[in-house]
Amino acid sequence: MEIPLFPLPNLVLFPGIIVPLHIFEERYKLMINGCIDRTELFGLVLLRSGASDESEDAIHRVGVTARVIEVERLDDGRLNILCEGESRFRIYRFTQQMPFWKGAVDVFEDNNEHHPSESLYDQVAELYRSVAELSAKLSGSERPELSLPESPAALSYMVSYILDIDSEEKQRLLEMTSTVERLRMLVAHLTDTLRKLEQQSVFKDVVAKVRGNGDLGKPHTGN
């Protein structure tokens, strides 16, 4: 199928994820209004890191179809929209560049796998809960109430989107066709994130203890 494309820096959408977008460029106001009027999908794709302009070489070939689910119309034709990711696709040919990009795409899913993913699901879910709770503790926020997807694939998409890693690494997760491999990579990322948070927590506790003893900022001798 052929769909309009919305290349963006630093944003990788995943299926089932809802994101807000502010639409202000004339070409994308035209594109999004057309999608709204005809209830059509568009494709969100990542611009490669360091790209200075939009070109075929600068646009990643794998993205996610998005559907507009809420619209707020602003002055000068600008829009705030909520869109929901639906299916992953590969661009096999660009069909238009002006006034906005279009591409001929194929939709794809993860491969059917015989390897059990239940244990990996449990690992990712537990690590994610630990990261969320420790992050809340460090920021002084309330303990989060988490509602996780039941599907291993859906969990892998949600955590991939939320995880604080660079966009090129998220793109790598998006392009994977194995739920098991995506979950394994998320275990590694979450483990590393949790380790860093634990180090921050220890440092914060030490600083609080020193402050409580009134020793912060006082010179210490070696006697």
Side-chain angles (χ1 to χ4, degrees):
M1 63 179 178
E2 184 182 67
I3 58 172
L5 300 171
F6 196 174
L8 286 172
N10 306 317
L11 176 61
V12 180
L13 184 61
F14 287 81
I17 301 299
I18 296 174
V19 295
L21 294 175
H22 177 63
I23 312 299
F24 59 91
E25 288 188 58
E26 289 301 324
R27 56 181 173 158
Y28 292 120
K29 288 191 285 187
L30 176 67
M31 186 191 83
I32 293 298
N33 276 311
C35 289
I36 293 170
D37 292 342
R38 296 186 293 272
T39 62
E40 291 178 349
L41 300 170
F42 65 95
L44 268 177
V45 284
L46 177 69
L47 279 174
R48 295 185 186 278
S49 178
S52 56
D53 57 8
E54 292 178 11
S55 67
E56 291 190 13
D57 289 338
I59 298 173
H60 276 283
R61 292 299 194 272
V62 172
V64 171
T65 58
R67 185 179 302 279
V68 178
I69 58 174
E70 192 172 311
V71 184
E72 178 189 12
R73 297 190 180 275
L74 307 171
D75 296 336
D76 304 322
R78 293 176 295 114
L79 306 101
N80 287 330
I81 64 171
L82 284 181
C83 58
E84 183 173 10
E86 293 198 356
S87 301
R88 290 177 296 164
F89 62 83
R90 290 189 185 90
I91 302 168
Y92 62 87
R93 180 165 50 89
F94 291 98
T95 58
Q96 175 181 298
Q97 183 174 351
M98 298 298 293
F100 49 81
W101 291 90
K102 279 188 176 182
V105 306
D106 284 326
V107 172
F108 69 96
E109 302 282 349
D110 277 354
N111 299 327
N112 291 325
E113 296 173 309
H114 301 294
H115 303 291
S117 55
E118 288 80 6
S119 61
L120 282 166
Y121 174 98
D122 292 340
Q123 279 183 268
V124 169
E126 185 59 33
L127 282 165
Y128 178 68
R129 287 190 181 97
S130 298
V131 166
E133 289 174 5
L134 190 49
S135 296
K137 178 184 175 183
L138 286 167
S139 65
S141 306
E142 292 184 8
R143 184 174 177 174
E145 294 291 333
L146 299 179
S147 177
L148 301 182
E150 295 181 3
S151 154
L155 178 70
S156 75
Y157 295 146
M158 187 199 80
V159 176
S160 295
Y161 176 75
I162 293 173
L163 198 58
D164 186 18
I165 55 177
D166 69 56
S167 56
E168 291 291 340
E169 190 66 9
K170 291 192 179 195
Q171 181 70 25
R172 184 180 169 195
L173 288 161
L174 180 71
E175 294 182 7
M176 286 183 163
T177 55
S178 166
T179 303
V180 167
E181 289 306 312
R182 192 180 304 108
L183 289 170
R184 282 178 180 155
M185 185 174 287
L186 288 172
V187 167
H189 280 306
L190 287 164
T191 300
D192 184 57
T193 299
L194 187 59
R195 178 183 57 81
K196 291 175 181 176
L197 289 171
E198 287 170 343
Q199 289 173 347
Q200 292 176 35
S201 181
V202 169
F203 178 75
K204 186 177 180 180
D205 290 344
V206 168
V207 170
K209 184 176 180 180
V210 170
R211 283 177 174 164
N213 292 334
D215 292 333
L216 193 63
K218 293 183 180 180
H220 290 266
T221 68
N223 296 335

